[in-house]
Amino acid sequence: MRDLPAYGAGVTVTRPRPVPRDLYAVAAAVLLVTAAVLVGRYVYTYDDLIVGWPPLLGRWDPHLGPGTPAAVVVAAAVVAYGPAVAARLPWRALLPAAWGTTLAWTWSLALIDGWERGVAGRLTTSQEYLSVIDRWHDIPATLRDFNGHILLHSADNWPAHVAGHPPGATLTYVLLDRIGLGGGGWAGALTITVGATAGVAVLVTVRALAAERLARRAAPFLVLAPAAVWMGTSADGYFAAVAAWAVALLALAVTGRRLGWAAGSGLLFGLTCYLSYGLTLFAVVAAAVLLLGQRGVRARPVLFAPLLAGAAVVPVAFTAAGFDWWEAYHLLVERYYEGAAGVRPYAYWVWANLACTVLITGLATVAGLRRAGGVLVRRRAEGVRADGARAEETRLAFLVAAALLALLAADLSGMSKAETERIWLPFALWLLAACAFLTRPRGWLAAQAVLALLLNHLVATGW
């Protein structure tokens, strides 16, 4: 019997290529979403979940619209040229370019549903903010009486979205109406325009705390986010921008040691808490920024004075006007469980909410989060202070982890049962920054674009 040649003696041994770990993470995310859809449709009923297309609040509705061609063109352009443009544009030009492209993407997705259903009618439904504009003729009196209409059994109870948020949310649209820009069209335009700046705020923060190169790598993913399906037109997109700029100004304050940035950050953090109760969890992200910028804080601890002073402005103003935030929050919890939350099963939503997060952040973000986790694990295993590029990546991974921690806290609280595809927009945008860790960005961007286009064309994402 002839002996087989030894390995290396002229014989080429072909070994199977290992499957990239990113694909394992993506496969797990796909399984999570699939499970949420199947369990939601075949184990529970509509009366259990109170959503039409679990885990999303919507219904199956394949359709095209006037925004379809524009959405396809914007997606193709960002996939083809986004990474190169983001790498080469001067920084001061990159930020408005990112904002403008995000506006184009969000508007085109919204207009797939048409002007009325996609934009002008979104904030005018019976549960939305504009439905109560005529009850705010006397703003101070309405603020004093606001808590008396939160519970379902109260006289003239507020509709769901008004009752579910502090009055700062509704007051935004009331003031817009007062300056002559009333109606759903103006409200939708404001929400989209402001909401589209949220990604710019994330870029500013990443550059300040980590590195410009990482911000540039993340830029196309923040622009082409599947979350844009809900950013246009949900008031949560506006909330996301306010919270994001609060974080961005704090990052600029601790790295640039400028008192003005600290005051502005505090003012926006205070406003954030009066737009949505759940966004108090942004304290976790703020704490991460302070840890990452601790050198600046130690060098100039006086930064805390304007930060805290700014943060007090909005709470003091609303309290002086007669609105009690703490009482309102406790009443909201009671109202929450009087309604859908008292029916929706925690055992399903505690993990199905995460499936919604996959849908609004995309599979690229799943892979990015896996890589961010790997960065933090390696940093811990090394046990020494990293420097250079590795330190920058560790700082970005830490920031993303803080946002993920805040999101998980919201999930476990039980105060987010369903509709998290819009409620968690403020947290989700920060997870997209993890895409800076990805190689071969065009393929991942294409996956993001396809997901967003499919969702917007196949599902009516009303609320």
Side-chain angles (χ1 to χ4, degrees), residues 131-150:
S131 66
V132 299
I133 293 292
D134 59 352
R135 294 174 59 179
W136 287 74
H137 295 299
D138 185 337
I139 291 176
T142 305
L143 288 174
R144 288 193 298 272
D145 196 37
F146 188 88
N147 291 357
H149 303 286
I150 292 178

Side-chain angles (χ1 to χ4, degrees), residues 55-68:
L56 301 177
L57 181 65
R59 67 181 187 279
W60 181 256
D61 180 26
H63 63 284
L64 298 174
T68 296

